[in-house]
C-alpha cells in the first residue's frame, strides 16, 4: 500500500469517526435539561388529563355514594375524595421533579 493510499484510508477513517461521534455523542447539560423539562411538561399534562378523566369516571361511577366502601384485601377502604387525589398527584409530581433535578445535578457534577 502506498503512502497516498494510507493517507486516504486514514482521512476516510477520521471522517467516519467524526460523523459517528456526532451521531452518538451525549447531549450537553443544557440540551439534556431542556429535553428533560420538555418531557416533564408532557408527563405533567398527561397526568393532569388522566387525573381529570379518572375524576370524571369516578363521579359517574359513584354518583351519590360519598364514603362508599370498596372491598379489598384489608377489609375495605374508603375511596379518597377529589382533593386528596389531587394532592397525591401533586406530591408525586414534586417527587419526580426533585429526582430529575438531582439526577441533572449529578450529571453536571460529573461532566463539569
Amino acid at each position: 500500500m502506498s503512502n497516498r493510499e494510507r493517507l486516504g484510508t486514514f482521512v476516510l477513517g477520521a471522517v467516519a469517526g467524526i460523523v459517528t461521534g456526532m451521531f452518538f455523542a451525549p447531549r450537553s447539560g443544557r440540551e439534556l435539561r431542556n429535553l428533560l423539562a420538555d418531557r416533564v411538561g408532557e408527563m405533567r399534562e398527561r397526568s393532569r388529563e388522566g387525573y381529570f378523566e379518572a375524576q370524571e369516571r369516578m363521579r359517574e361511577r359513584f354518583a351519590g355514594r360519598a364514603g362508599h366502601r370498596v372491598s379489598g384485601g384489608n377489609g375495605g377502604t374508603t375511596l379518597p375524595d377529589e382533593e386528596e387525589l389531587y394532592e397525591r398527584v401533586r406530591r408525586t409530581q414534586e417527587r419526580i421533579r426533585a429526582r430529575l433535578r438531582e439526577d441533572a445535578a449529578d450529571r453536571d457534577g460529573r461532566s463539569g
Side-chain angles (χ1 to χ4, degrees):
M1 189 186 281
S2 71
N3 285 339
R4 187 177 198 121
E5 289 173 340
R6 287 183 185 164
L7 179 62
T9 303
F10 175 79
V11 169
L12 181 62
V15 169
I18 290 170
V19 169
T20 302
M22 288 172 58
F23 283 115
F24 291 102
R27 290 174 165 68
S28 71
R30 178 172 284 138
E31 289 174 324
L32 185 59
R33 285 189 300 273
N34 289 339
L35 179 64
L36 288 174
D38 291 344
R39 295 280 168 88
V40 167
E42 292 170 5
M43 288 185 342
R44 179 177 42 219
E45 186 60 33
R46 277 187 264 150
S47 67
R48 183 176 289 146
E49 290 171 3
Y51 167 76
F52 287 119
E53 288 173 9
Q55 183 181 29
E56 187 60 32
R57 284 194 306 268
M58 293 296 281
R59 278 188 184 145
E60 291 170 1
R61 192 172 197 182
F62 297 106
R65 294 180 170 184
H68 177 71
R69 298 196 56 86
V70 178
S71 62
N74 62 356
T77 57
T78 303
L79 294 174
D81 62 4
E82 295 174 27
E83 291 80 20
E84 185 179 347
L85 285 173
Y86 181 79
E87 186 60 27
R88 286 182 186 179
V89 169
R90 191 193 61 72
R91 284 193 309 260
T92 301
Q93 288 174 336
E94 279 303 313
R95 284 195 303 268
I96 291 170
R97 284 187 199 110
R99 176 60 78 83
L100 288 172
R101 284 191 296 266
E102 289 170 8
D103 290 348
D106 288 346
R107 276 191 291 279
D108 287 345
R110 280 184 265 154
S111 66

